[in-house]
Amino acid sequence: MEVQWVGVNPPRLGPPHQAISVIFSILLGMWPSQALEMSVGKTTHMEAVNGSTVMLPCTYASCIGIKNLYFNWQFNDNGTMQKVCDSVIASEGVVPQVKIYRERVEFVGMNDNNNISILLWNITFEDGGEYTCFGRNPKEKFKNHSAVFTLVVVDELKVVDNTVATIIASAVGGAIALLMGFMLLKNFTLFVLSKLEEKNKECLVTSSGIDNTENGLSGSKADSKPTPKKK
Ligand SMILES: *[C@@H]1O[C@H](CO)[C@@H](O)[C@H](O)[C@H]1NC(C)=O
Ligand SMILES: *[C@@H]1O[C@H](CO)[C@@H](O)[C@H](O)[C@H]1NC(C)=O
Ligand SMILES: *[C@@H]1O[C@H](CO)[C@@H](O)[C@H](O)[C@H]1NC(C)=O
Ligand SMILES: *[C@@H]1O[C@H](CO)[C@@H](O)[C@H](O)[C@H]1NC(C)=O
Ligand SMILES: *[C@@H]1O[C@H](CO)[C@@H](O)[C@H](O)[C@H]1NC(C)=O
């Protein structure tokens, strides 16, 4: 389990029982989020084709609850942070009035399940870069918390790489299939040869009663394998 440190204060370990409970929480995969926590999810990086519409995900979490939570999205435009949108969430579940400062941006999270995601419509190459989801909860003495999501705008999704991978995969697969086929063929050949040998031995042993054994042998062989008809 990966513990995200984005916007989370390092834990201050108090008395032993507290440390134990912290460790227990880690083991359970639940970090005690005393503070506000902004999260863009497990995937913090995304590739999208120019002209497409993408969602920049962000949610917040705070176990002490929120009141007048200020949040915004910022775009790192070559070093300077540009505000994309911002708003204040009065309390949990309230749909905020979001001010939009950038074109083709739509607020879609609607604070539903602490969701403050935005949509970027018809992205251009200029839209590529780092987007910071920022939050500040007055309940926490105005500490800043943020998470960064990186958008990479590409001309087309890496089809070439996939093709190469497919070629390699099919080449490897083909080679394995060929090898297996070869081994099967070899085994089959050896099998047939051994059978022929066997038959020859049998023929040598039972050379006296040719008529009966010959029919019986060829009959049983025909069931299992297409063996040569000649003796
Ligand atoms: C993406 O950009 C290229 C080059 O600027 C352009 O030719 C293409 O039409 C664009 N694609 C979309 C879907 O806008
Ligand atoms: C970013 O800034 C550098 C230096 O200020 C400048 O040379 C470069 O052209 C800028 N890039 C963009 C995409 O604005
Ligand atoms: C996105 O592009 C489509 C097709 O070009 C257009 O109809 C739509 O209005 C655009 N949306 C925005 C938000 O610019
Ligand atoms: C946030 O809301 C958007 C739009 O309704 C939705 O697509 C997305 O899955 C939501 N994200 C989370 C983490 O709930
Ligand atoms: C929090 O961010 C604001 C800008 O939004 C900044 O002015 C302030 O100094 C930051 N506070 C801390 C403690 O980093």
Side-chain angles (χ1 to χ4, degrees):
M1 190 88 198
E2 204 181 293
V3 179
Q4 285 202 353
W5 288 108
V6 181
V8 185
N9 291 327
R12 265 166 283 154
L13 301 185
H17 69 271
Q18 207 175 325
I20 286 164
S21 82
V22 163
I23 289 163
F24 204 69
S25 304
I26 295 171
L27 289 178
L28 286 175
M30 291 182 299
W31 187 256
S33 52
Q34 293 291 322
L36 180 70
E37 194 176 342
M38 312 303 284
S39 167
V40 294
K42 282 200 168 148
T43 321
T44 59
H45 176 273
M46 181 196 196
E47 274 187 19
V49 185
N50 65 329
S52 61
T53 296
V54 296
M55 189 182 71
L56 307 183
C58 186
T59 57
Y60 65 87
S62 173
C63 69
I64 58 166
I66 60 149
K67 193 166 190 300
N68 295 329
L69 166 76
Y70 170 82
F71 81 90
N72 68 25
W73 273 95
Q74 293 164 53
F75 174 59
N76 187 345
D77 188 14
N78 208 7
T80 55
M81 298 306 273
Q82 281 187 357
K83 219 189 280 177
V84 173
C85 67
D86 72 352
S87 186
V88 171
I89 298 175
S91 62
E92 258 139 315
V94 175
V95 178
Q97 297 279 317
V98 179
K99 285 194 216 75
I100 311 280
Y101 303 98
R102 198 178 160 88
E103 58 179 6
R104 292 173 287 107
V105 170
E106 187 187 340
F107 178 72
V108 291
M110 297 302 164
N111 193 23
D112 183 26
N113 292 320
N114 303 351
N115 186 341
I116 50 172
S117 308
I118 55 171
L119 217 55
L120 279 189
W121 283 90
N122 305 342
I123 55 168
T124 64
F125 289 104
E126 285 77 51
D127 291 331
E130 286 181 355
Y131 290 83
T132 303
C133 176
F134 172 94
R136 199 194 302 129
N137 193 4
K139 267 195 174 185
E140 281 174 47
K141 295 172 187 155
F142 297 95
K143 270 185 191 155
N144 292 339
H145 302 279
S146 62
V148 177
F149 189 84
T150 307
L151 175 68
V152 179
V153 182
V154 293
D155 212 358
E156 55 185 22
L157 291 177
K158 286 178 190 162
V159 182
V160 181
D161 282 5
N162 286 344
T163 316
V164 170
T166 310
I167 289 170
I168 291 169
S170 48
V172 170
I176 290 170
L178 206 68
L179 200 66
M180 283 173 73
F182 174 73
M183 284 167 79
L184 279 175
L185 195 71
K186 188 184 138 201
N187 283 349
F188 179 69
T189 312
L190 286 176
F191 178 75
V192 170
L193 283 178
S194 70
K195 280 292 168 192
L196 282 175
E197 222 166 275
E198 213 173 275
K199 193 183 172 185
N200 281 345
K201 275 179 199 161
E202 277 166 359
C203 287
L204 284 175
V205 172
T206 61
S207 55
S208 53
I210 287 167
D211 281 337
N212 292 339
T213 36
E214 187 77 344
N215 286 345
L217 274 174
S218 59
S220 66
K221 288 271 160 70
D223 284 339
S224 58
K225 226 143 270 300
T227 43
K229 291 228 170 85
K230 59 172 191 190
K231 49 171 179 166

